[in-house]
Amino acid sequence: MNLCVIGLGSMGKRRIRLLKKILPDAVITGIDQNPERVRYVTEEYKVTGYGSLEEIKERQDCAFVCTPPQFHGALIRECLLKDWHVFSEINLVDDLYEENQKLARERGKVLFLSSTPLYRAEMQYIERRVKESKKPCAYQYHVGQYLPDWHPWDNLKDFFVSRKETNGCREFLAIELPWIQNTFGKIKEVHVVKRRLTELSLDFPDTYLLQLEHEGGSAGNVTVDVVSRQAVRRLEVFHEGLYLRWEGRPDLLYEKNLSTGALEQVQAGEQIQQPGYAEVINEAAYEREIGEFLAVLSGKVPVYGFEEDREILKVIDRIEKE
């Protein structure tokens, strides 16, 4: 299989690492306009590197689009026109959604969208327990990390999460809302309080405090921010017959045993930690997500796609406008 990874920043490097592990016989090509990034991946991962799509001469089977989100739409279209299957990282904007879905159908190509938490064993366990309980739940969830700490090796003003259209809080919401909606039901009402708590030169709020109401009766408080100096993912889910607590890692998922009164650890997969990243970033979920993409290439129905994502982006637009 011939694969190209377009965009060799943090996520592109991660996808190359994992692709080499999952598909050791695949021929991988890296593409980036930054020659230093190309040089790094060719030396570190022993792959071929180019500065543009036009330089690729070999036929590719699949492309992984890992550039900043504002470039995804045009790149996806270009790849589909070359008759390549496409794996897209999170988009944050719905540029060319309808056009690219139509083009993928016409060309008979898979257009796959990343939503990594859906493949975390912890989220899958929480979803299963909530649905097994067959009762509305309440939950509290906090996700945050100080924006300059996301990629301390990059200049913040050059990082897409500092742009209003693709800002860090919007990215957190786009990452988290799909699994939240999948677990607790379709979001029907949103109540928003937003603040600016840092002195960073940002043209968007750095903190959102949300109340979400779901079809079926569940409701939750969600805080997302780019302020917290400690990277945090902390969740509590509860009703009278269920209590779950999760603190961002597979070994920090707990469920209350109502018979014994003990808070018991739940085994929920492995933690694969990449140096330089916060411990709430688990490489194992990214690996499982690539496995899902390969399964979709073989005919499996995807668990999440562009149609569902467009609805999530509409919810995020509502949140930002309130």
Side-chain angles (χ1 to χ4, degrees):
M1 182 179 285
N2 289 345
L3 309 168
C4 65
V5 176
I6 307 170
L8 302 178
S10 171
M11 191 60 74
K13 294 184 182 75
R14 172 179 285 132
R15 295 302 181 186
I16 290 175
R17 285 196 306 269
L18 295 175
L19 285 166
K20 289 180 71 68
K21 177 181 177 180
I22 298 167
L23 297 169
D25 295 327
V27 177
I28 301 174
T29 300
I31 302 167
D32 200 291
Q33 293 179 343
N34 184 327
E36 282 302 307
R37 289 180 173 179
V38 174
R39 181 193 60 77
Y40 178 87
V41 299
T42 55
E43 293 178 0
E44 179 71 15
Y45 303 117
K46 306 299 185 286
V47 302
T48 303
Y50 294 110
S52 69
L53 279 173
E54 289 71 27
E55 296 178 52
I56 299 180
K57 305 304 180 187
E58 306 83 2
R59 167 161 178 82
Q60 303 297 305
D61 297 297
C62 306
F64 283 70
V65 177
C66 305
T67 64
Q70 63 267 28
F71 304 120
H72 286 186
L75 284 168
I76 289 169
R77 178 173 174 79
E78 188 172 353
C79 293
L80 290 172
L81 287 171
K82 293 177 181 291
D83 284 325
W84 301 347
H85 300 294
V86 178
F87 179 114
S88 173
E89 299 295 351
I90 193 169
N91 286 316
L92 303 186
V93 292
D94 64 358
D95 184 33
L96 296 177
Y97 263 37
E98 286 188 13
E99 295 89 338
N100 285 336
Q101 288 178 87
K102 181 174 183 289
L103 183 58
R105 289 192 298 269
E106 291 173 349
R107 297 275 175 153
K109 296 301 171 183
V110 168
L111 180 53
F112 184 95
L113 183 60
S114 169
S115 188
T116 309
L118 291 171
Y119 308 96
R120 289 193 75 136
E122 306 100 307
M123 294 12 267
Q124 293 170 347
Y125 181 85
I126 292 165
E127 178 194 353
R128 178 168 62 83
R129 292 295 293 122
V130 166
K131 290 181 177 177
E132 286 175 347
S133 74
K134 298 181 180 179
K135 291 183 178 181
C137 293
Y139 63 92
Q140 298 187 82
Y141 190 37
H142 177 201
V143 182
Q145 185 182 16
Y146 188 52
L147 198 62
D149 291 343
W150 286 31
H151 287 180
W153 53 85
D154 286 332
N155 187 325
L156 183 59
K157 68 180 179 62
D158 297 328
F159 189 13
F160 71 84
V161 292
S162 67
R163 293 167 51 99
K164 185 176 182 179
E165 299 81 4
T166 56
N167 70 79
C169 286
R170 187 175 179 89
E171 178 165 62
F172 272 145
L173 290 168
I175 291 170
E176 304 295 342
L177 289 184
W179 81 259
I180 288 175
Q181 181 163 272
N182 197 50
T183 299
F184 299 105
K186 185 175 180 179
I187 298 166
K188 66 174 187 177
E189 295 291 344
V190 181
H191 308 278
V192 182
V193 175
K194 49 192 174 184
R195 293 288 185 270
R196 295 184 66 171
L197 302 179
T198 70
E199 296 181 2
L200 298 172
S201 297
L202 306 174
D203 59 353
F204 55 88
D206 53 38
T207 304
Y208 284 85
L209 299 99
L210 313 175
Q211 287 185 329
L212 303 182
E213 296 183 49
H214 299 265
E215 292 182 358
S218 291
N221 295 318
V222 177
T223 300
V224 298
D225 69 76
V226 293
V227 178
S228 177
R229 299 310 299 259
Q230 173 64 37
V232 60
R233 272 187 170 90
R234 184 178 298 113
L235 172 71
E236 288 184 294
V237 180
F238 51 93
H239 60 57
E240 65 177 350
L242 179 69
Y243 177 81
L244 299 165
R245 188 176 79 201
W246 180 61
E247 296 186 26
R249 297 201 325 245
D251 59 337
L252 295 177
L253 175 62
Y254 300 92
E255 181 170 0
K256 182 77 175 265
N257 185 320
L258 300 183
S259 299
T260 66
L263 193 62
E264 298 177 346
Q265 185 182 36
V266 175
Q267 298 301 317
E270 62 177 329
Q271 173 78 8
I272 302 177
Q273 188 70 39
Q274 184 67 21
Y277 288 89
E279 62 182 12
V280 295
I281 304 297
N282 186 0
E283 296 265 311
Y286 294 98
E287 184 175 335
R288 284 194 290 272
E289 186 173 46
I290 292 175
E292 177 75 6
F293 171 60
L294 297 175
V296 172
L297 291 180
S298 298
K300 185 180 185 296
V301 177
V303 300
Y304 189 77
F306 281 70
E307 286 294 339
E308 294 88 349
D309 194 62
R310 192 170 199 180
E311 296 307 309
I312 290 293
L313 292 178
K314 288 179 182 177
V315 173
I316 297 172
D317 289 342
R318 283 167 50 199
I319 290 169
E320 291 189 328
K321 288 175 182 176
E322 281 203 18

